[in-house]
Amino acid sequence: MTFDLFANNITSTLPDGLKLPLLADYTCQPIVFNQNKGYNIVIPQGELLYFPEFFSPKIANRALDFLLANSAAHTLPHELSANTPWTNIPWQQDEIKMYGKQIPLPRLSSWHGDSDHPYTYSGITLQSLPWNAALDYLRDQLQQLTSIRFNSVLLNLYRDGQDHISWHTDDEPELGKNPIIASINFGESRRFLLRRCEKERQATEKIEVLLKHGSLLIMQGQTQHFWQHSVPKQAKVLKPRINLTFRHIYPHANS
């Protein structure tokens, strides 16, 4: 049964790092799925599932080391680039065209999935790379929780607090209607913000989730059609954070 966040002791009902508008149609309910403790965050025209400690520190540390492994033993943010001799993930820095110029994105990325599932966003088309043992393991853990076998994953490496991603929605046609996006996070904690799309937006309706090392956030329902999300700059963040967004691609979807 959903409880009223705003009746008494508002701060004690919310997990650390979660900020919701003080409005009655925003609720947060503790849940347990397959022994995983989390929160069901219901918002207007959307729904979030948040698991602050989905992976143990041991597993999260091993995953971070695997994803950042490189033969030069580079670990500092300024050393991590598309030219780093990566061992397990071929990180690259994509570019988008703005005002007639090619602008490098402020993060590194890698797209993996089933062989026939390319992904296009912001004018960039990514051909899927093969799954490896670590990505398959993470996908298996999500399947145990959600009963969904995701066929693709987009990895983003934020080298420090200067790397970021602007406001956007994951609503590309090949994701289908009401896509489920499962976001796993390793490394430094970063602010994850959501706001209503422009037609629905009110200044007070901004949501913030602090995505920590080993956490999982699932966006589902109508969230991608009515809400934008972003990871803003944070000058005080000096270490890397990796985000993996698992999704299901429908190659011939047109709606």
Side-chain angles (χ1 to χ4, degrees):
M1 181 175 66
T2 301
F3 52 80
D4 185 356
L5 279 177
F6 313 109
N8 296 291
N9 299 322
I10 293 175
T11 55
S12 66
T13 63
L14 297 176
D16 292 340
L18 173 62
K19 299 178 183 178
L20 292 178
L22 299 181
L23 299 170
D25 48 356
Y26 290 78
T27 61
C28 179
Q29 177 184 6
I31 54 174
V32 178
F33 282 174
N34 295 342
Q35 300 182 336
N36 293 284
K37 295 181 179 180
Y39 298 87
N40 181 20
I41 305 166
V42 179
I43 60 180
Q45 298 173 305
E47 185 176 9
L48 311 172
L49 299 175
Y50 176 47
F51 299 88
E53 299 175 352
F54 186 69
F55 292 102
S56 69
K58 179 180 179 180
I59 295 297
N61 290 340
R62 289 176 61 185
L64 183 63
D65 289 344
F66 180 91
L67 297 170
L68 286 177
N70 61 86
S71 61
H74 288 172
T75 58
L76 300 176
H78 70 268
E79 297 173 327
L80 306 180
S81 72
N83 295 323
T84 299
W86 297 107
T87 304
N88 300 316
I89 302 295
W91 296 102
Q92 64 184 47
Q93 187 165 23
D94 295 313
E95 296 182 342
I96 59 173
K97 190 171 184 178
M98 295 180 63
Y99 310 111
K101 298 181 179 180
Q102 292 296 120
I103 307 296
L105 295 178
R107 58 192 175 275
L108 304 183
S109 300
S110 190
W111 173 253
H112 297 254
D114 297 350
S115 59
D116 58 346
H117 294 130
Y119 182 54
T120 300
Y121 73 101
S122 299
I124 302 169
T125 298
L126 302 175
Q127 298 297 326
S128 58
L129 299 168
W131 297 90
N132 59 39
L135 297 180
D136 254 336
Y137 170 82
L138 299 176
R139 176 166 62 162
D140 289 343
Q141 300 307 300
L142 289 176
Q143 185 174 0
Q144 290 182 26
L145 177 74
T146 65
S147 298
I148 298 171
R149 187 67 173 173
F150 294 100
N151 64 12
S152 304
V153 59
L154 177 64
L155 293 80
N156 281 315
L157 167 55
Y158 301 83
R159 292 160 290 187
D160 58 21
Q162 294 302 311
D163 277 359
H164 63 282
I165 190 167
S166 302
W167 290 108
H168 69 285
T169 58
D170 294 330
D171 60 352
E172 290 77 17
E174 56 265 46
L175 294 175
K177 184 178 181 181
N178 295 339
I180 297 176
I181 309 293
S183 174
I184 293 175
N185 306 276
F186 299 119
E188 289 296 287
S189 299
R190 292 293 296 265
R191 299 170 64 211
F192 181 83
L193 307 180
L194 297 104
R195 70 181 184 185
R196 291 232 211 182
C197 293
E198 189 170 352
K199 292 182 180 179
E200 310 287 342
R201 189 179 309 158
Q202 298 182 38
T204 59
E205 293 189 270
K206 185 177 289 186
I207 298 167
E208 178 173 332
V209 186
L210 186 64
L211 297 181
K212 304 176 183 180
H213 187 44
S215 67
L216 166 65
L217 178 73
I218 298 176
M219 296 180 284
Q220 60 184 19
Q222 296 179 297
T223 304
Q224 298 306 320
H225 302 298
F226 292 95
W227 290 83
Q228 297 176 322
H229 52 275
S230 70
V231 177
K233 291 183 179 181
Q234 290 182 257
K236 295 183 179 180
V237 174
L238 303 178
K239 295 182 180 180
R241 172 246 188 178
I242 292 176
N243 171 249
L244 305 91
T245 49
F246 288 79
R247 55 198 75 195
H248 198 92
I249 297 294
Y250 301 92
H252 303 295
N254 55 17
S255 63

